[in-house]
C-alpha cells in the first residue's frame, strides 16, 4: 500500500470505505492514536510521539455522543498531536488551536471533538515514527506495532 | 404443558401464587470467588439482596417472575435455575438404601407448582426472543471437541447438531440473551467448553461430580395423540461432601424415577424440556429447575482460541477494578478479546484498548468484535454504531503507549500450561509488570491480573514494590486450574520515560 504522506486525504474516503467497512470491526480511532507512541530503541524521551498518520482508507462510523465523556477526555489529550492527526485526515478545520475555557459547556465543540476522537477510523495506512522514520502498518483497522529483534 | 398440574396433587399451595405476582427464588452459578461481585450486580440491576451459599459459586435471590428478562441479562452469572426447595440442614440416613429412599419420598411433597410456572414463563421468553429456528443443542457429553477455528468462519459440521426437531422445537430453542448470535454459537460454545479439557463445574472436589444423570428409562418422547405434549425431563445431580453413602449417579437415578412417577413425564437425557437439578453440598440440599440450557458465559465469543476466558470471569475482573466513566482500560495480552469486549459492552463510557503480539489472537479478537457489532446491528435494523474499543498488535514487554496514560490494566496472564511455559513466565512476568507500571497513571491507576503461576507472579511483584501495591486477591477456578486474580494499585511514583532493558 502506498502511504499518501502528509497531504490530507479527501473526505470522500469516508464514504468510499463504506464497502470495505463491513469487513472490519474496530478500526483505529484518533483517541487511540493520541495515546500511541513509537518505541524504537534509542529514541529520546518523547521522541516517538506523535506518530504521523498516512491513511489510504478511512471510514466514519457513528458512535453515541456522550458529552461528559468527551469533556473529561480533554485534559488527557495531547492537543497538538490531535490537531496534526485531524489535519492528516482532512478534518483540520474542525478544531480550535486550543480548547477554549468553558469548553465543557460548549456542545458544538464537544460534538466536533467527539466526532474526531471516536467516529473517524483509519482502516488502512501506516503510522510513522517522527524521529526514526520507521513505519508501522495499519491493516483492516489494526496497527501492527511489533518491532523486529534489531529495533527493540 | 398444562398436564404438569394434573399430577401435582396434594401439594402445599405455593407462596405468592394467586392474586399477587408470581415470585421466584432464583439460584445462579457464578465463577467461584466472585459471589460478592455477582450479588452487587443483582442488587444494582434487580434491587434484590442475595444470599451467598456455602456451596461456593452460587448465589440466591428472590425476584418477581416478571423480572426474568433482566435476570437473564446479568453479566456475572453462568447458569440460572429456579429453586423448588432448599434444605439448609438435611439429615441423610446412614445407609445408602435409606438415604436414597428418602430422596425419592421427597419428590411428591415438594412445592413444584410455582417453580414450574416460572419455568413455563421462562420458556415463553425464549420463544419470543428467538428470531429463527435453531438446531437442537446437544449436551456437552455427546459433542465433539472443537478444532481450532483458524482462518475459517464456518463451524465444523459435526460440531453443530444440524437437525431440526420440529416436534420439540419450542422446548429446545436456545436461550437467547441480548447478545445472542446465530445457530453455530451454541455448538461452538459447548465445544469451546470441551476444548478446555475440564467441564465447567462447581468447585466441590469429589468423584462423580458431574453426576450427569441417568434416569434409567430414556424413551424418545412422541407427542401424544391428543395433541398435548408429554414433557421430557432429566435430572442432574451435583454432590459434594464426604459423608454421603451414595453417589450423584445413584441419587439422580432414584430421584429421577420418583419424578417420573409423580409427573408421568418421559425421561430423556439429551432432548429434554425440563432439567431438574439436585444439588447436594454436605447437608445443604437444593432442588431446582434449570432456566438456562447452556452456560451464558461464552456469550461474547464466537471465535475461540485455546485459552478463551469466560465472559463471566472477565466481567468479575472488570468489576474488581471499579471502572469510572472515561477511564482508559487496556488489556495488553487480550487473546481473543474476552475482557475488552465485555468491558466495551458493559462499560461503554470507558475507552478500551486490546492488544496482543500473536497475529492469530488479534485476528480472532477482531472477528469477535465484528460478530458483536453484527448482533447489535440486527437489533436496531440499521448499521451498528461503533463501540469504544480498538485493537493493536504489540509486544507486552515494549508497549507503544505513552507513559502514565492508562487508568486500568486488566489481563489474563499466560498460565504456562497452555501458552508458553513456566520458564518463560519467569522472564515475562517482571517485564510485564514493569511495562504495565510505566503506562499506568500513578496514584489512581490499578491493574487486575489473572494468573495460575502464583509463585512466579509473587516473586515478580516483590521486586515492584515501588510501582505496585497489592490489593485484594480473589481465588478462582479456571478450567479446573486453581488461579488467582490480583488487584494491584499503582503507587504515586512516576515511571521513568526511558525504558531500561534487562
Amino acid at each position: 500500500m502506498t502511504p499518501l504522506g502528509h497531504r490530507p486525504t479527501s473526505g470522500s474516503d469516508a464514504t468510499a470505505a463504506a464497502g470495505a467497512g463491513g469487513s472490519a470491526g474496530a478500526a483505529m480511532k484518533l483517541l487511540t492514536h493520541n495515546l500511541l507512541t513509537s518505541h524504537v530503541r534509542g529514541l529520546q524521551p518523547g521522541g516517538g510521539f506523535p506518530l504521523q498518520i498516512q491513511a489510504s482508507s478511512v471510514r466514519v462510523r457513528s458512535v453515541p455522543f456522550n458529552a461528559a465523556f468527551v469533556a473529561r477526555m480533554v485534559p488527557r489529550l495531547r492537543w497538538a498531536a490531535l490537531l496534526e492527526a485531524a489535519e492528516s485526515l482532512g478534518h483540520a478545520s474542525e478544531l480550535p488551536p486550543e480548547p477554549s475555557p468553558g469548553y465543557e459547556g460548549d456542545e458544538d465543540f464537544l460534538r466536533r471533538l467527539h466526532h474526531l476522537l471516536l467516529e473517524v477510523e483509519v482502516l488502512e495506512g501506516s503510522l510513522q515514527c517522527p524521529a526514526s522514520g520507521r513505519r508501522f502498518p495499519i491493516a483492516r483497522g489494526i496497527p501492527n506495532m511489533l518491532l523486529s529483534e534489531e529495533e527493540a | 404443558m398444562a398436564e404438569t398440574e394434573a399430577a401435582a396433587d396434594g401439594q402445599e399451595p405455593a407462596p405468592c401464587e394467586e392474586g399477587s405476582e408470581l415470585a421466584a427464588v432464583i439460584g445462579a452459578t457464578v465463577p467461584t470467588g466472585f459471589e460478592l461481585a455477582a450479588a452487587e450486580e443483582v442488587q444494582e440491576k434487580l434491587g434484590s439482596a442475595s444470599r451467598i451459599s456455602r456451596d461456593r459459586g452460587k448465589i440466591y435471590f428472590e425476584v418477581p417472575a416478571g423480572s426474568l428478562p433482566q435476570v437473564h441479562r446479568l453479566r456475572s452469572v453462568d447458569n440460572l435455575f429456579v429453586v423448588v426447595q432448599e434444605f439448609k440442614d438435611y439429615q441423610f440416613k446412614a445407609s445408602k438404601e435409606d438415604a436414597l429412599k428418602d430422596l425419592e419420598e421427597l419428590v411428591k411433597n415438594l412445592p413444584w407448582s410455582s417453580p414450574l410456572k416460572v419455568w413455563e414463563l421462562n420458556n415463553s421468553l425464549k420463544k419470543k426472543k428467538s428470531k429463527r429456528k435453531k438446531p437442537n443443542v446437544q449436551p456437552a457429553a455427546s459433542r465433539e471437541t472443537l478444532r481450532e477455528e483458524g482462518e475459517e468462519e464456518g463451524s465444523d459440521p459435526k460440531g453443530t447438531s444440524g437437525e431440526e426437531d420440529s416436534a420439540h422445537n419450542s422446548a429446545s430453542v436456545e436461550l437467547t440473551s441480548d447478545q445472542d448470535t446465530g445457530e453455530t454459537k451454541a455448538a461452538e460454545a459447548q465445544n469451546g467448553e470441551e476444548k478446555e479439557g475440564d467441564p465447567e463445574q462447581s468447585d466441590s472436589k469429589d468423584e462423580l461430580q458431574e453426576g450427569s444423570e441417568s434416569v434409567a428409562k430414556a424413551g424418545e418422547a412422541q407427542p401424544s395423540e391428543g395433541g398435548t405434549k408429554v414433557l421430557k425431563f432429566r435430572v442432574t445431580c451435583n454432590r459434594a461432601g464426604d459423608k454421603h453413602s451414595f453417589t450423584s449417579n445413584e441419587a439422580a437415578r432414584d430421584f429421577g424415577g420418583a419424578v417420573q412417577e409423580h409427573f408421568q413425564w418421559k425421561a430423556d437425557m439429551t432432548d429434554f424440556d425440563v432439567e431438574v437439578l439436585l444439588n447436594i453440598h454436605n447437608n445443604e440440599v437444593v432442588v431446582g429447575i434449570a432456566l438456562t440450557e447452556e452456560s451464558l458465559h461464552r456469550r461474547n465469543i464466537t471465535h475461540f482460541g485455546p485459552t478463551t476466558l469466560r465472559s463471566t470471569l472477565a466481567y468479575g475482573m472488570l468489576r474488581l477494578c471499579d471502572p469510572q466513566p472515561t477511564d482508559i482500560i487496556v488489556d495488553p495480552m487480550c487473546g481473543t478479546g474476552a475482557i475488552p469486549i465485555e468491558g466495551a459492552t458493559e462499560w461503554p463510557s470507558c475507552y478500551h484498548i486490546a492488544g496482543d503480539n500473536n497475529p492469530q489472537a488479534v485476528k480472532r479478537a477482531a472477528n469477535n468484535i465484528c460478530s458483536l457489532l453484527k448482533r447489535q446491528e440486527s437489533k436496531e435494523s440499521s448499521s451498528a454504531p461503533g463501540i469504544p474499543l480498538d485493537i493493536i498488535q504489540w509486544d507486552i514487554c515494549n508497549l507503544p503507549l505513552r507513559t502514565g496514560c492508562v487508568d486500568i490494566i486488566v489481563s489474563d496472564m499466560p498460565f504456562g500450561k497452555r501458552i508458553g511455559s513456566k520458564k518463560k513466565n519467569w522472564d515475562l512476568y517482571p517485564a510485564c509488570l514493569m511495562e504495565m507500571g510505566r503506562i499506568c497513571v500513578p496514584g489512581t491507576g490499578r491493574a487486575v491480573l489473572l494468573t495460575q503461576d502464583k509463585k512466579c507472579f509473587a516473586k515478580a511483584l516483590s521486586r515492584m514494590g515501588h510501582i505496585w501495591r497489592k490489593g485484594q486477591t480473589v481465588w478462582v477456578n479456571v478450567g479446573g486450574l486453581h488461579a488467582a486474580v490480583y488487584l494491584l494499585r499503582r503507587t504515586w511514583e512516576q515511571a521513568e520515560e526511558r525504558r531500561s532493558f534487562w
Side-chain angles (χ1 to χ4, degrees):
Chain A
M1 87 194 86
T2 325
L4 296 183
H6 294 293
R7 208 157 297 122
T9 57
S10 64
S12 63
D13 276 344
T15 44
S23 55
M28 191 193 76
K29 302 170 200 27
L30 291 189
L31 176 47
T32 301
H33 168 263
N34 204 260
L35 304 171
L36 286 175
T37 173
S38 164
H39 49 312
V40 172
R41 188 193 349 213
L43 297 180
Q44 296 294 323
F49 182 86
L51 291 157
Q52 285 149 358
I53 306 178
Q54 292 119 15
S56 55
S57 172
V58 173
R59 81 170 165 213
V60 172
R61 176 172 224 151
S62 77
V63 170
F65 173 62
N66 180 337
F69 176 89
V70 182
R72 285 215 202 91
M73 275 299 169
V74 172
R76 320 189 63 161
L77 298 170
R78 297 277 172 86
W79 198 258
L82 179 61
L83 283 182
E84 194 182 309
E87 187 186 320
S88 68
L89 299 182
H91 292 262
S93 55
E94 296 175 25
L95 287 180
E98 292 282 345
S100 33
Y103 65 80
E104 299 92 331
D106 183 348
E107 183 171 319
D108 188 50
F109 164 77
L110 291 176
R111 278 191 182 270
R112 276 182 275 128
L113 182 55
H114 161 85
H115 176 72
L116 271 178
L117 286 177
L118 299 176
E119 296 187 328
V120 177
E121 299 180 325
V122 180
L123 284 167
E124 305 285 331
S126 62
L127 297 169
Q128 187 169 33
C129 172
S132 67
R134 207 304 196 173
R135 283 208 177 107
F136 300 96
I138 303 174
R140 300 187 61 138
I142 301 176
N144 183 345
M145 308 295 297
L146 288 176
L147 293 171
S148 64
E149 293 281 318
E150 308 83 52
E151 294 169 304
Chain B
M1 293 192 197
E3 60 214 43
T4 60
E5 297 296 355
D9 282 320
Q11 299 236 341
E12 46 178 83
C16 311
E17 210 183 300
E18 314 295 3
S20 63
E21 206 182 315
L22 178 63
V25 176
I26 303 287
T29 52
V30 306
T32 335
F34 286 100
E35 294 89 347
L36 274 175
E40 277 172 23
E41 194 195 7
V42 169
Q43 182 67 60
E44 275 170 25
K45 296 186 178 168
L46 297 168
S48 299
S50 304
R51 270 179 299 117
I52 297 173
S53 149
R54 263 170 297 146
D55 182 5
R56 286 154 63 224
K58 290 195 181 59
I59 64 169
Y60 296 93
F61 52 92
E62 184 167 329
V63 288
S67 297
L68 273 179
Q70 288 94 295
V71 173
H72 280 295
R73 286 199 283 270
L74 291 169
R75 309 301 294 193
S76 49
V77 164
D78 285 324
N79 277 304
L80 293 165
F81 56 95
V82 54
V83 174
V84 174
Q85 189 155 358
E86 278 181 78
F87 300 88
K88 297 269 172 41
D89 193 18
Y90 188 95
Q91 296 305 319
F92 287 99
K93 300 240 168 68
S95 84
K96 178 196 294 205
E97 242 179 58
D98 290 341
L100 290 176
K101 189 92 176 53
D102 273 356
L103 284 177
E104 286 178 40
E105 291 293 307
L106 212 47
V107 174
K108 56 181 182 287
N109 295 319
L110 290 172
W112 294 99
S113 79
S114 274
L116 281 168
K117 287 206 171 80
V118 173
W119 169 83
E120 275 183 47
L121 182 58
N122 190 63
N123 273 357
S124 66
L125 278 184
K126 289 193 240 176
K127 269 190 248 189
K128 250 186 239 161
K129 281 186 173 193
S130 109
K131 300 213 164 38
R132 47 201 154 152
K133 287 186 181 182
K134 303 216 156 88
N136 284 343
V137 177
Q138 298 284 343
S142 61
R143 197 178 305 271
E144 312 214 11
T145 46
L146 176 73
R147 53 170 172 69
E148 284 288 317
E149 283 290 321
E151 308 285 303
E152 300 132 63
E153 291 271 338
S155 64
D156 187 335
K158 288 187 274 184
T160 45
S161 38
E163 292 157 15
E164 283 256 275
D165 185 351
S166 52
H168 309 297
N169 209 26
S170 55
S172 19
V173 160
E174 178 195 345
L175 174 73
T176 55
S177 64
D178 288 351
Q179 307 270 321
D180 204 71
T181 43
E183 285 113 72
T184 58
K185 180 183 189 292
E188 289 187 16
Q190 290 287 18
N191 286 342
E193 199 168 308
E194 279 276 300
K195 174 100 178 148
E196 296 237 67
D198 296 289
E200 299 296 341
Q201 293 298 343
S202 69
D203 276 335
S204 319
K205 307 175 216 312
D206 208 306
E207 14 93 51
L208 301 179
Q209 188 47 42
E210 72 289 58
S212 59
E213 270 340 312
S214 64
V215 178
K217 312 144 222 205
E220 274 302 330
Q222 313 284 335
S224 55
E225 289 302 315
T228 50
K229 199 164 71 99
V230 174
L231 285 183
K232 295 190 290 179
F233 81 103
R234 64 172 271 164
V235 172
T236 304
C237 176
N238 284 306
R239 187 198 62 78
D242 40 18
K243 297 210 174 75
H244 305 129
S245 52
F246 54 88
T247 65
S248 56
N249 281 359
E250 291 163 339
R253 177 197 63 209
D254 289 0
F255 196 79
V259 166
Q260 185 181 39
E261 236 183 80
H262 184 68
F263 289 109
Q264 295 300 300
W265 293 337
K266 292 222 176 235
D268 190 325
M269 288 306 299
T270 56
D271 180 27
F272 48 88
D273 305 306
V274 183
E275 183 180 9
V276 175
L277 304 170
L278 179 58
N279 290 333
I280 302 174
H281 183 258
N282 293 318
N283 284 2
E284 189 183 279
V285 175
V286 179
V287 179
I289 300 174
L291 297 176
T292 49
E293 282 188 21
E294 56 166 84
S295 189
L296 296 168
H297 62 72
R298 296 264 185 229
R299 60 185 166 243
N300 286 342
I301 302 292
T302 50
H303 292 75
F304 287 91
T307 57
T308 295
L309 188 71
R310 345 182 231 176
S311 307
T312 44
L313 202 44
Y315 178 81
M317 287 173 67
L318 282 159
R319 266 197 91 103
L320 205 55
C321 37
D322 190 23
Q324 298 302 305
T326 72
D327 273 349
I328 295 177
I329 306 180
V330 172
D331 181 355
M333 293 177 274
C334 68
T336 53
I339 296 175
I341 288 174
E342 186 70 22
T345 315
E346 277 296 295
W347 285 272
S349 56
C350 296
Y351 191 73
H352 306 264
I353 301 181
D356 204 287
N357 65 344
N358 181 316
Q360 282 289 66
V362 167
K363 185 181 258 175
R364 285 196 191 108
N367 284 337
N368 283 325
I369 292 173
C370 233
S371 303
L372 177 65
L373 288 168
K374 287 208 180 100
R375 272 176 292 184
Q376 296 186 340
E377 203 172 282
S378 54
K379 261 205 318 177
E380 327 280 282
S381 73
S382 58
S383 81
I387 49 176
L389 171 56
D390 263 341
I391 309 179
I392 302 176
Q393 190 170 356
W394 64 31
D395 175 5
I396 174 73
C397 299
N398 199 359
L399 291 170
L401 289 168
R402 287 197 263 130
T403 297
C405 71
V406 169
D407 297 288
I408 294 174
I409 295 161
V410 200
S411 204
D412 174 5
M413 299 184 74
F415 277 6
K417 279 200 192 297
R418 285 204 200 98
I419 300 270
S421 64
K422 287 260 157 103
K423 183 154 183 232
K424 285 190 196 146
N425 283 355
W426 210 247
D427 296 320
L428 185 65
Y429 279 23
C432 283
L433 284 174
M434 185 76 93
E435 261 302 80
M436 291 184 197
R438 184 187 65 78
I439 62 169
C440 197
V441 175
T444 56
R446 52 255 187 241
V448 171
L449 304 171
L450 168 65
T451 179
Q452 199 243 341
D453 200 345
K454 303 178 279 280
K455 191 166 159 200
C456 189
F457 187 85
K459 170 127 198 229
L461 193 59
S462 67
R463 295 194 257 145
M464 298 268 132
H466 57 299
I467 299 283
W468 291 112
R469 269 178 300 119
K470 193 155 96 167
Q472 196 184 339
T473 303
V474 181
W475 304 102
V476 299
N477 185 311
V478 182
L481 302 172
H482 285 189
V485 172
Y486 296 98
L487 170 64
L488 303 177
R489 296 193 191 281
R490 183 63 174 80
T491 63
W492 285 99
E493 178 162 327
Q494 300 287 328
E496 287 172 21
E497 277 287 351
R498 193 188 298 268
R499 299 176 190 75
S500 44
F501 295 89
W502 46 85

